[in-house]
mmCIF file of all heavy atoms in Angstrom:
data_model
loop_
_atom_site.group_PDB
_atom_site.id
_atom_site.type_symbol
_atom_site.label_atom_id
_atom_site.label_comp_id
_atom_site.label_asym_id
_atom_site.label_seq_id
_atom_site.Cartn_x
_atom_site.Cartn_y
_atom_site.Cartn_z
ATOM 1 N N THR H 19 65.627 36.885 106.374
ATOM 2 C CA THR H 19 65.656 35.567 106.825
ATOM 3 C C THR H 19 66.963 34.819 106.454
ATOM 4 O O THR H 19 67.440 34.051 107.215
ATOM 5 C CB THR H 19 64.433 34.783 106.166
ATOM 6 O OG1 THR H 19 63.243 35.490 106.511
ATOM 7 C CG2 THR H 19 64.402 33.364 106.567
ATOM 8 N N PHE H 20 67.476 35.143 105.240
ATOM 9 C CA PHE H 20 68.690 34.559 104.769
ATOM 10 C C PHE H 20 69.792 34.963 105.718
ATOM 11 O O PHE H 20 70.688 34.076 106.071
ATOM 12 C CB PHE H 20 69.042 34.911 103.345
ATOM 13 C CG PHE H 20 70.420 34.426 102.805
ATOM 14 C CD1 PHE H 20 70.549 33.140 102.572
ATOM 15 C CD2 PHE H 20 71.379 35.328 102.736
ATOM 16 C CE1 PHE H 20 71.705 32.653 102.091
ATOM 17 C CE2 PHE H 20 72.700 34.826 102.302
ATOM 18 C CZ PHE H 20 72.794 33.505 101.989
ATOM 19 N N VAL H 21 69.883 36.181 106.077
ATOM 20 C CA VAL H 21 70.955 36.701 106.967
ATOM 21 C C VAL H 21 70.805 36.023 108.285
ATOM 22 O O VAL H 21 71.862 35.592 108.887
ATOM 23 C CB VAL H 21 70.914 38.221 107.052
ATOM 24 C CG1 VAL H 21 71.772 38.852 108.094
ATOM 25 C CG2 VAL H 21 71.204 38.818 105.682
ATOM 26 N N ARG H 22 69.635 35.894 108.888
ATOM 27 C CA ARG H 22 69.394 35.295 110.102
ATOM 28 C C ARG H 22 69.845 33.855 110.148
ATOM 29 O O ARG H 22 70.563 33.443 111.097
ATOM 30 C CB ARG H 22 67.932 35.456 110.512
ATOM 31 C CG ARG H 22 67.691 35.035 112.026
ATOM 32 C CD ARG H 22 66.217 35.126 112.347
ATOM 33 N NE ARG H 22 65.556 36.336 111.832
ATOM 34 C CZ ARG H 22 64.308 36.233 111.438
ATOM 35 N NH1 ARG H 22 63.500 35.262 111.663
ATOM 36 N NH2 ARG H 22 63.752 37.404 111.021
ATOM 37 N N ILE H 23 69.482 33.127 109.106
ATOM 38 C CA ILE H 23 69.959 31.794 109.010
ATOM 39 C C ILE H 23 71.466 31.600 108.811
ATOM 40 O O ILE H 23 72.050 30.732 109.464
ATOM 41 C CB ILE H 23 69.157 31.054 107.811
ATOM 42 C CG1 ILE H 23 67.786 30.985 108.189
ATOM 43 C CG2 ILE H 23 69.816 29.658 107.623
ATOM 44 C CD1 ILE H 23 66.943 30.496 107.031
ATOM 45 N N LYS H 24 72.081 32.430 108.062
ATOM 46 C CA LYS H 24 73.532 32.417 107.908
ATOM 47 C C LYS H 24 74.175 32.708 109.165
ATOM 48 O O LYS H 24 75.181 32.118 109.611
ATOM 49 C CB LYS H 24 73.877 33.431 106.866
ATOM 50 C CG LYS H 24 75.347 33.554 106.451
ATOM 51 C CD LYS H 24 75.578 32.492 105.390
ATOM 52 C CE LYS H 24 76.880 32.766 104.909
ATOM 53 N NZ LYS H 24 77.423 31.579 104.090
ATOM 54 N N ALA H 25 73.729 33.928 109.953
ATOM 55 C CA ALA H 25 74.308 34.042 111.260
ATOM 56 C C ALA H 25 74.222 32.982 112.256
ATOM 57 O O ALA H 25 75.159 32.703 112.939
ATOM 58 C CB ALA H 25 73.670 35.315 111.781
ATOM 59 N N LEU H 26 72.983 32.307 112.241
ATOM 60 C CA LEU H 26 72.839 31.183 113.167
ATOM 61 C C LEU H 26 73.726 30.020 112.847
ATOM 62 O O LEU H 26 74.304 29.267 113.620
ATOM 63 C CB LEU H 26 71.477 30.712 113.102
ATOM 64 C CG LEU H 26 70.937 29.792 114.302
ATOM 65 C CD1 LEU H 26 71.167 30.396 115.562
ATOM 66 C CD2 LEU H 26 69.422 29.454 113.997
ATOM 67 N N LYS H 27 74.006 29.673 111.586
ATOM 68 C CA LYS H 27 74.887 28.718 111.193
ATOM 69 C C LYS H 27 76.310 28.995 111.521
ATOM 70 O O LYS H 27 77.117 28.131 112.041
ATOM 71 C CB LYS H 27 74.769 28.440 109.585
ATOM 72 C CG LYS H 27 73.504 27.782 109.245
ATOM 73 C CD LYS H 27 73.549 27.482 107.681
ATOM 74 C CE LYS H 27 72.323 26.827 107.199
ATOM 75 N NZ LYS H 27 72.314 26.647 105.784
ATOM 76 N N ILE H 28 76.670 30.311 111.348
ATOM 77 C CA ILE H 28 78.155 30.665 111.764
ATOM 78 C C ILE H 28 78.317 30.549 113.267
ATOM 79 O O ILE H 28 79.269 30.054 113.746
ATOM 80 C CB ILE H 28 78.403 32.103 111.243
ATOM 81 C CG1 ILE H 28 78.557 32.134 109.672
ATOM 82 C CG2 ILE H 28 79.774 32.598 111.838
ATOM 83 C CD1 ILE H 28 78.549 33.522 109.045
ATOM 84 N N PHE H 29 77.184 30.911 114.022
ATOM 85 C CA PHE H 29 77.300 30.888 115.501
ATOM 86 C C PHE H 29 77.424 29.428 115.854
ATOM 87 O O PHE H 29 78.331 29.064 116.749
ATOM 88 C CB PHE H 29 75.946 31.544 115.968
ATOM 89 C CG PHE H 29 75.939 31.338 117.523
ATOM 90 C CD1 PHE H 29 76.762 32.123 118.458
ATOM 91 C CD2 PHE H 29 75.013 30.467 118.095
ATOM 92 C CE1 PHE H 29 76.650 32.017 119.750
ATOM 93 C CE2 PHE H 29 74.844 30.211 119.496
ATOM 94 C CZ PHE H 29 75.662 30.979 120.254
ATOM 95 N N ALA H 30 76.566 28.617 115.263
ATOM 96 C CA ALA H 30 76.682 27.082 115.539
ATOM 97 C C ALA H 30 78.051 26.486 115.290
ATOM 98 O O ALA H 30 78.580 25.714 115.939
ATOM 99 C CB ALA H 30 75.586 26.358 114.864
ATOM 100 N N ALA H 31 78.627 26.899 114.099
ATOM 101 C CA ALA H 31 79.871 26.416 113.636
ATOM 102 C C ALA H 31 81.024 26.802 114.621
ATOM 103 O O ALA H 31 81.902 25.980 114.953
ATOM 104 C CB ALA H 31 80.230 26.783 112.285
ATOM 105 N N VAL H 32 81.100 28.038 115.030
ATOM 106 C CA VAL H 32 82.036 28.640 115.959
ATOM 107 C C VAL H 32 81.885 27.819 117.301
ATOM 108 O O VAL H 32 82.934 27.366 117.887
ATOM 109 C CB VAL H 32 81.911 30.093 116.159
ATOM 110 C CG1 VAL H 32 82.751 30.619 117.233
ATOM 111 C CG2 VAL H 32 82.298 30.800 114.802
ATOM 112 N N LEU H 33 80.663 27.700 117.795
ATOM 113 C CA LEU H 33 80.474 26.991 119.036
ATOM 114 C C LEU H 33 80.917 25.587 118.980
ATOM 115 O O LEU H 33 81.493 25.031 119.893
ATOM 116 C CB LEU H 33 79.069 27.052 119.472
ATOM 117 C CG LEU H 33 78.796 27.195 120.944
ATOM 118 C CD1 LEU H 33 79.497 28.332 121.532
ATOM 119 C CD2 LEU H 33 77.236 27.468 121.184
ATOM 120 N N LEU H 72 74.630 25.261 123.156
ATOM 121 C CA LEU H 72 74.244 25.068 121.660
ATOM 122 C C LEU H 72 72.899 24.355 121.474
ATOM 123 O O LEU H 72 72.138 24.726 120.667
ATOM 124 C CB LEU H 72 75.311 24.307 121.026
ATOM 125 C CG LEU H 72 75.247 24.189 119.600
ATOM 126 C CD1 LEU H 72 75.126 25.353 118.840
ATOM 127 C CD2 LEU H 72 76.296 23.354 118.964
ATOM 128 N N VAL H 75 70.075 26.907 122.378
ATOM 129 C CA VAL H 75 69.942 27.886 121.282
ATOM 130 C C VAL H 75 69.235 27.276 120.159
ATOM 131 O O VAL H 75 68.451 27.927 119.446
ATOM 132 C CB VAL H 75 71.287 28.498 120.968
ATOM 133 C CG1 VAL H 75 71.209 29.298 119.660
ATOM 134 C CG2 VAL H 75 71.780 29.402 122.155
ATOM 135 N N MET H 76 69.660 26.097 119.705
ATOM 136 C CA MET H 76 69.028 25.491 118.453
ATOM 137 C C MET H 76 67.565 25.111 118.729
ATOM 138 O O MET H 76 66.735 25.206 117.811
ATOM 139 C CB MET H 76 69.830 24.144 118.101
ATOM 140 C CG MET H 76 71.150 24.413 117.501
ATOM 141 S SD MET H 76 70.984 25.310 115.993
ATOM 142 C CE MET H 76 72.306 26.520 116.125
ATOM 143 N N MET H 77 67.224 24.614 119.999
ATOM 144 C CA MET H 77 65.886 24.535 120.312
ATOM 145 C C MET H 77 64.972 25.716 120.263
ATOM 146 O O MET H 77 63.912 25.725 119.678
ATOM 147 C CB MET H 77 65.666 23.739 121.639
ATOM 148 C CG MET H 77 66.218 22.289 121.661
ATOM 149 S SD MET H 77 65.418 21.157 120.629
ATOM 150 C CE MET H 77 63.884 20.991 121.334
ATOM 151 N N ILE H 78 65.492 26.728 120.770
ATOM 152 C CA ILE H 78 64.776 28.038 120.754
ATOM 153 C C ILE H 78 64.652 28.495 119.289
ATOM 154 O O ILE H 78 63.495 29.007 118.940
ATOM 155 C CB ILE H 78 65.455 29.034 121.597
ATOM 156 C CG1 ILE H 78 65.388 28.622 123.108
ATOM 157 C CG2 ILE H 78 64.988 30.514 121.327
ATOM 158 C CD1 ILE H 78 66.184 29.605 123.973
ATOM 159 N N ALA H 79 65.658 28.351 118.582
ATOM 160 C CA ALA H 79 65.612 28.790 117.205
ATOM 161 C C ALA H 79 64.602 27.943 116.418
ATOM 162 O O ALA H 79 63.889 28.530 115.532
ATOM 163 C CB ALA H 79 67.036 28.702 116.458
ATOM 164 N N ALA H 80 64.577 26.648 116.602
ATOM 165 C CA ALA H 80 63.568 25.759 115.929
ATOM 166 C C ALA H 80 62.128 26.186 116.470
ATOM 167 O O ALA H 80 61.256 26.195 115.576
ATOM 168 C CB ALA H 80 63.895 24.345 116.309
ATOM 169 N N ASP H 83 60.871 29.261 114.686
ATOM 170 C CA ASP H 83 60.951 29.033 113.238
ATOM 171 C C ASP H 83 62.100 29.943 112.553
ATOM 172 O O ASP H 83 61.970 30.455 111.558
ATOM 173 C CB ASP H 83 59.640 29.416 112.592
ATOM 174 C CG ASP H 83 58.658 28.385 112.909
ATOM 175 O OD1 ASP H 83 58.827 27.238 113.104
ATOM 176 O OD2 ASP H 83 57.351 28.782 112.895
ATOM 177 N N MET H 84 63.236 30.052 113.261
ATOM 178 C CA MET H 84 64.367 30.711 112.685
ATOM 179 C C MET H 84 65.230 29.879 111.758
ATOM 180 O O MET H 84 66.039 30.267 111.095
ATOM 181 C CB MET H 84 65.193 31.223 113.888
ATOM 182 C CG MET H 84 64.547 32.371 114.668
ATOM 183 S SD MET H 84 65.492 32.872 115.994
ATOM 184 C CE MET H 84 66.953 33.672 115.223
ATOM 185 N N LEU H 85 64.967 28.582 111.715
ATOM 186 C CA LEU H 85 65.730 27.515 110.883
ATOM 187 C C LEU H 85 65.050 27.367 109.635
ATOM 188 O O LEU H 85 65.765 26.814 108.741
ATOM 189 C CB LEU H 85 65.900 26.282 111.721
ATOM 190 C CG LEU H 85 66.620 26.378 113.042
ATOM 191 C CD1 LEU H 85 66.614 25.002 113.654
ATOM 192 C CD2 LEU H 85 67.994 26.918 112.846
ATOM 193 N N ALA H 86 63.837 27.841 109.465
ATOM 194 C CA ALA H 86 63.140 27.558 108.072
ATOM 195 C C ALA H 86 63.577 28.508 107.140
ATOM 196 O O ALA H 86 63.854 29.772 107.453
ATOM 197 C CB ALA H 86 61.597 27.633 108.238
#
Side-chain angles (χ1 to χ4, degrees):
T19 303
F20 175 75
V21 170
R22 191 180 318 147
I23 291 171
K24 186 84 166 165
L26 195 58
K27 285 181 182 180
I28 291 171
F29 175 75
V32 168
L33 215 54
L72 180 61
V75 167
M76 289 296 140
M77 291 299 293
I78 291 171
D83 290 330
M84 291 175 66
L85 300 176

